[in-house]
Amino acid sequence: MYFTFITIPIYSLFPSFAKDAEEFKKLLEGYPEAVRKAIGLNVDSIASILGFYSYAFLYITLCGAIQAMNLGVSIFSKEVREKTADFLLTKPVSRTQILSSKLLAALTSLVMTNVVYLAAANMMASQVKTEDYSSKIFFLISITLFFVQLIFLALGMIMSVIVRKIKSILTVSLSTVFALFIIGMLSSTAEDEALRYLSPFKYFDTDYIIKNSGYETSFLIVGIGIIVASIVASYFIYAKKDIHAV
């Protein structure tokens, strides 16, 4: 939840940025187009609050993905690493109940994070805006943080039940998230639609959301499919998995 406070220093830069918008645009146009695409920088809209927010939001999503991946990977791997799994499974509860409780706890954490983030983002946007903007589009962009987090939570969850023993949750989480983030950057640089499907960071294109006030259906379906398939597979594997006693 700590990353929600990133919005405060980010938004504090917008008034001065908007004031000297033309100078900043000229400066940004000096960057190679491939670099601008890779880091999600749209020169034409960067001076508007939604354009500025879209650029900063990419890195807020990166932080959120790390949080979600950490939660997902730790759902099962932590008790295996600390050798407490056999103790837990001797209790009069089923494996389905155990996994459901862990998943619900992780979801509660993500929901709380997003509620705080939305409140902070809306408050800062209303304070620094220099012109009216669409609150609907602002919300559509902001809520994609939760969608992306759900995907990474599900990926972390399936990873935690498949891999026999994960020594470092943070190492696995960071390497997975950054690898998919880099793939997303490459897909933007190459303008490869097929490559976008490999990176959840590119499932919700902010430029598309601003122009169309909605999401791309194909990527939304793929995202939901990943979440459902990963969670269902996690339950199935966990129910059949051999868990060794200490």
Side-chain angles (χ1 to χ4, degrees):
M1 190 179 294
Y2 64 90
F3 72 86
T4 59
F5 298 103
I6 296 174
T7 58
I8 297 175
I10 287 176
Y11 271 120
S12 65
L13 297 174
F14 180 71
S16 59
F17 192 92
K19 183 179 179 181
D20 301 312
E22 292 305 317
E23 286 75 10
F24 276 111
K25 282 184 178 181
K26 291 178 182 178
L27 176 65
L28 296 174
E29 285 172 352
Y31 287 87
E33 185 179 357
V35 174
R36 296 201 303 267
K37 288 180 178 180
I39 62 177
L41 187 59
N42 189 327
V43 177
D44 295 329
S45 63
I46 193 66
S48 68
I49 191 166
L50 288 176
F52 182 84
Y53 179 56
S54 297
Y55 169 65
F57 186 73
L58 175 62
Y59 303 97
I60 292 172
T61 304
L62 175 61
C63 296
I66 293 172
Q67 178 201 16
M69 192 74 186
N70 269 331
L71 289 172
V73 174
S74 64
I75 278 181
F76 177 69
S77 62
K78 187 175 181 180
E79 64 193 35
V80 172
R81 188 181 67 257
E82 297 179 359
K83 300 179 180 180
T84 59
D86 57 330
F87 174 77
L88 177 63
L89 295 175
T90 58
K91 302 299 179 182
V93 290
S94 66
R95 293 192 180 192
T96 299
Q97 289 176 308
I98 292 172
L99 201 56
S100 296
S101 297
K102 290 174 174 287
L103 179 59
L104 183 59
L107 287 173
T108 301
S109 179
L110 294 185
V111 169
M112 290 176 62
T113 295
N114 280 270
V115 168
V116 173
Y117 171 74
L118 280 172
N122 275 289
M123 179 187 69
M124 290 302 300
S126 64
Q127 292 293 320
V128 303
K129 68 177 182 178
T130 56
E131 58 185 17
D132 291 334
Y133 62 93
S134 172
S135 56
K136 176 186 176 181
I137 293 177
F138 186 88
F139 176 78
L140 287 173
I141 293 174
S142 299
I143 200 64
T144 60
L145 171 64
F146 183 62
F147 296 152
V148 172
Q149 284 187 310
L150 287 180
I151 294 173
F152 278 98
L153 175 66
L155 291 176
M157 187 175 175
I158 186 67
M159 189 177 295
S160 73
V161 297
I162 289 177
V163 180
R164 182 174 180 179
K165 186 176 182 180
I166 298 176
K167 294 182 178 180
S168 174
I169 293 174
L170 187 60
T171 300
V172 172
S173 298
L174 289 177
S175 59
T176 303
V177 171
F178 279 112
L180 293 176
F181 186 76
I182 291 171
I183 291 174
M185 294 176 70
L186 292 175
S187 71
S188 296
T189 303
E191 296 184 349
D192 188 337
E193 285 293 305
L195 198 58
R196 282 182 62 193
Y197 286 97
L198 299 179
S199 175
F201 291 103
K202 293 301 175 181
Y203 285 8
F204 303 96
D205 183 71
T206 52
D207 287 338
Y208 181 92
I209 296 172
I210 291 173
K211 293 176 182 177
N212 299 277
S213 298
Y215 305 131
E216 294 171 271
T217 305
S218 60
F219 289 98
L220 189 61
I221 292 173
V222 171
I224 294 173
I226 291 173
I227 294 169
V228 173
S230 297
I231 292 177
V232 170
S234 296
Y235 273 92
F236 179 79
I237 295 171
Y238 186 64
K240 304 293 184 180
K241 187 179 180 70
D242 290 331
I243 301 176
H244 300 286
V246 179

